[in-house]
Amino acid sequence: MTASTTIAREFANSKMLMQFSLSFIVTSVICGLFVIIVLYCLTLKKYKSKSEVSKVWHNVTVNGRPSRKIRKQRSVRHKKKMASIAITQAMKTCKSEPITENEQPTKSASSTKALKRHSPEECKDVFNNPSNKKQSPKKSKVIRETKDFNHPVYKSISSQNGEINRMTHQQLISTLKQFNLDSSGYPDILKKRLKLYYMESSLGKAGLDSHQTAQSFDYLCVIDFEATCERQNPADYLHEIIEFPIVLVNTKTRLVEDTLMLFCKPLLNPKLSEFCTSLTNITQVQVDYADTFPVVLETVNWWMKHKELGSKYKFAIVTDGPWDMNLFLRVQCKLSKLKFPSYAKNWINLSKTFSSFYKTSRVKLELMLRNLGMEFEGQPHRGIDDAKNIARIAVKLMEDGCNLVINDALT
């Protein structure tokens, strides 16, 4: 009896303890909720609306640091304060004597130098006029002239474009010949050429600005490297430049003004493979008597400086793909331990420009020429001949109204 009584008492005590703990937890939760509700009600009473309460909570961060919104408001207030101080100083200087020719204005008075000969009332007008307030270059809005596309000429241009889209290949050729325009090329290219002609002539007759494209550069340096190669290049094969050609095109006259062609002597693979010789038509004797790449690059830089490229005239590098700069020149500069030329970090990828302007897929050099109704001139895979044919495509693009812009960069 004594043992059973003891067990019953212990069980009763533990049950009471559990009930007490549970009641304590429930009471604590209720009290906590009550406190939160009271605080929320007090806040709501103070700010009178839920939107203002949400603004207060939004402006507070976990770390106690003001939010981005508050920092922005403080910055605006600070700028307004500094502006009012500047206006006050300017108003004071208006009352002072004007600056003589021998006096030099202080740094604080440099912004109000032009106001010293005006009266305080005139100073108020100057500072209160929004058109006279200087804006920072980043925040100033560029006002561009908007063309009035409601002019009847644009409706006629649109209808004319529709008629051109319905023309057959033979109709396009005959129409282009009537206007003494180039009639060579695929139908899509001929349509774009004819549309450009009609648009420029229609706008000219209407007395509106023609959409003739102004080129972004004065000159184009067309480059197409030739490098050492094997019939099947190993995975770790390093290509060395063996021909460095440049064709200089004037974008205003659209003519080739000059050419430069230099052979380079390879050092890792001094003997050319039979496949490389047959592909490029570059002989072993030509590279044996050539200068190494550092000397060739120095000659190229001198030639560009002599042509005043980069100083007097803006120029851009033009290639028919990404490999000349991204692969051949990059690898060669690393092998020769030279700094990569800054002018070659961005270039015009003519394959991209061609496909984007004429709405075609990316194609190789020979197919681009064929689409324009032209044939390859010279020896294929010979650097100087490839560069001349790339230049012909660039000239044709400019004639058809394309603005050649930088569209590729070193990766």
Side-chain angles (χ1 to χ4, degrees):
M1 292 294 292
T2 305
S4 61
T5 304
T6 304
I7 293 170
R9 288 178 179 177
E10 290 178 356
F11 179 75
N13 291 334
S14 63
K15 188 175 181 181
M16 290 176 63
L17 183 62
M18 289 176 63
Q19 290 177 352
F20 177 75
S21 300
L22 185 62
S23 63
F24 179 76
I25 292 170
V26 172
T27 306
S28 300
V29 171
I30 293 172
C31 291
L33 290 173
F34 178 76
V35 171
I36 292 172
I37 291 171
V38 170
L39 290 175
Y40 181 78
C41 292
L42 291 174
T43 309
L44 189 64
K45 184 178 179 181
K46 181 178 179 180
Y47 291 99
K48 297 181 182 180
S49 66
K50 291 184 180 180
S51 60
E52 293 182 357
V53 174
S54 62
K55 288 180 183 179
V56 173
W57 287 103
H58 175 72
N59 292 333
V60 179
T61 58
V62 178
N63 298 326
R65 186 166 176 253
S67 67
R68 184 182 297 176
K69 185 177 180 181
I70 289 216
R71 294 199 302 272
K72 187 177 180 180
Q73 291 174 352
R74 289 178 180 175
S75 176
V76 171
R77 287 198 297 268
H78 177 71
K79 289 178 181 178
K80 288 182 178 179
K81 183 178 178 181
M82 296 303 294
S84 63
I85 292 173
I87 292 173
T88 305
Q89 291 178 351
M91 296 294 293
K92 290 179 180 179
T93 54
C94 286
K95 298 177 182 178
S96 62
E97 295 181 358
I99 297 177
T100 60
E101 294 182 358
N102 298 328
E103 291 181 13
Q104 296 294 332
T106 60
K107 193 172 182 179
S108 61
S110 61
S111 61
T112 58
K113 180 180 177 182
L115 298 175
K116 296 210 174 201
R117 293 180 176 83
H118 297 283
S119 63
E121 290 75 12
E122 292 173 335
C123 289
K124 287 180 182 179
D125 294 337
V126 170
F127 278 99
N128 292 331
N129 189 358
S131 61
N132 294 329
K133 293 181 180 179
K134 287 187 177 181
Q135 296 180 351
S136 61
K138 293 183 179 179
K139 294 185 179 180
S140 62
K141 295 182 179 179
V142 179
I143 301 174
R144 298 178 179 177
E145 294 183 0
T146 57
K147 297 185 181 296
D148 184 15
F149 289 103
N150 294 324
H151 197 282
V153 68
Y154 290 103
K155 188 176 180 179
S156 64
I157 291 172
S158 178
S159 61
Q160 187 65 51
N161 289 343
E163 293 180 8
I164 293 173
N165 289 332
R166 291 187 291 271
M167 286 184 180
T168 62
H169 193 190
Q170 291 299 327
Q171 289 175 339
L172 289 168
I173 292 174
S174 61
T175 307
L176 287 166
K177 286 182 178 179
Q178 288 177 6
F179 298 110
N180 296 324
L181 298 174
D182 186 9
S183 60
S184 59
Y186 280 13
D188 290 340
I189 294 175
L190 299 183
K191 288 177 183 178
K192 193 170 187 69
R193 194 172 295 157
L194 190 57
K195 287 177 183 178
L196 179 67
Y197 173 79
Y198 272 121
M199 181 181 67
E200 290 182 352
S201 60
S202 300
L203 292 174
K205 290 177 182 178
L208 300 175
D209 292 336
S210 63
H211 292 219
Q212 291 181 352
T213 306
Q215 294 299 320
S216 303
F217 301 97
D218 300 315
Y219 285 94
L220 303 176
C221 289
V222 185
I223 297 176
D224 190 88
F225 295 121
E226 296 300 331
T228 56
C229 58
E230 301 286 344
R231 187 173 296 275
Q232 291 183 348
N233 295 320
D236 57 346
Y237 188 84
L238 296 176
H239 298 273
E240 295 177 89
I241 293 176
I242 57 176
E243 185 183 3
F244 198 136
I246 301 179
V247 176
L248 187 64
V249 179
N250 188 324
T251 59
K252 293 181 180 179
T253 61
R254 296 170 185 170
L255 297 174
V256 175
E257 283 198 0
D258 201 358
T259 59
L260 177 69
M261 195 277 293
L262 299 170
F263 291 115
C264 303
K265 185 177 183 180
L267 300 178
L268 285 180
N269 301 291
K271 188 175 181 180
L272 301 180
S273 63
E274 293 181 4
F275 174 76
C276 182
T277 302
S278 62
L279 180 69
T280 62
N281 202 25
I282 298 174
T283 64
Q284 185 67 45
V285 176
Q286 288 172 328
V287 296
D288 285 342
Y289 286 93
D291 293 319
T292 57
F293 183 77
V295 178
V296 170
L297 185 61
E298 186 177 353
T299 305
V300 169
N301 292 336
W302 175 87
W303 182 81
M304 288 184 172
K305 186 177 180 180
H306 177 69
K307 296 290 183 181
E308 297 182 293
L309 301 177
S311 56
K312 184 178 179 180
Y313 303 108
K314 290 180 64 178
F315 78 100
I317 302 295
V318 180
T319 66
D320 67 335
W323 308 113
D324 292 275
M325 302 301 154
N326 250 337
L327 177 62
F328 296 135
L329 187 57
R330 171 182 275 181
V331 170
Q332 186 63 65
C333 286
K334 288 184 178 180
L335 291 174
S336 302
K337 297 181 180 178
L338 296 174
K339 186 179 179 181
F340 194 90
S342 58
Y343 54 79
K345 292 182 179 179
N346 301 282
W347 63 92
I348 299 172
N349 186 336
L350 207 66
S351 179
K352 280 185 180 181
T353 305
F354 187 92
S355 62
S356 175
F357 185 73
Y358 291 123
K359 309 301 179 185
T360 63
S361 58
R362 299 274 181 90
V363 293
K364 294 183 178 180
L365 176 59
E366 291 81 0
L367 197 52
M368 282 192 286
L369 289 167
R370 201 179 306 162
N371 288 344
L372 292 170
M374 297 188 289
E375 296 293 333
F376 191 93
E377 296 179 356
Q379 171 70 33
H381 302 292
R382 180 65 185 267
I384 187 64
D385 292 334
D386 286 349
K388 287 180 180 178
N389 284 278
I390 295 169
R392 292 171 62 203
I393 297 173
V395 169
K396 185 60 67 176
L397 280 164
M398 289 187 288
E399 289 176 351
D400 287 344
C402 178
N403 180 23
L404 300 179
V405 295
I406 298 294
N407 59 1
D408 214 340
L410 202 66
T411 56

